[in-house]
Amino acid sequence: MKTPEGKTIVFTFMSAPEKLPELRWTAKLTFPPGSGPDAVLPLTVVDGNDEPIKAATLELAGCRIPVKDGNASLAYADFVNGKHSVPIWLYRDGMEPVPGGLTFA
């Protein structure tokens, strides 16, 4: 499986609705053109104020991915292998975990 040449694909995951913007989050997983099983995909994670999340762990595709200063990465092969794993959560120290899901933004 490989992404199309000349086309960037972005999957957007968003938190469940929360009253406080600081609790909300959005994660964008980018598949650069021509990405295949050996690619490492960039991932950005921001809060509801569009500020990078300083430190967290994102559970996505069956992986626990460390987030630092709004940036993370996920191996393409890990994403494909875990594509049927349902839980999507963001864990931050001192805060309750917040669930999320794939969205069309």
Side-chain angles (χ1 to χ4, degrees), residues 11-89:
F11 284 13
T12 302
F13 303 89
M14 293 183 79
S15 65
E18 295 286 340
K19 287 184 180 182
L20 297 174
E22 295 78 23
L23 297 177
R24 296 180 212 138
W25 57 267
T26 300
K28 292 189 177 191
L29 181 64
T30 302
F31 294 75
S35 298
D38 295 332
V40 175
L41 308 172
L43 182 60
T44 58
V45 186
V46 297
D47 67 15
N49 293 316
D50 208 29
E51 294 292 324
I53 293 189
K54 301 233 183 286
T57 300
L58 179 65
E59 182 178 1
L60 176 66
C63 298
R64 294 251 175 160
I65 306 160
V67 177
K68 183 170 173 40
D69 297 325
N71 295 300
S73 62
L74 177 62
Y76 184 103
D78 288 342
F79 179 78
V80 171
N81 289 336
K83 69 182 178 263
H84 296 295
S85 180
V86 175
I88 301 172
W89 289 84

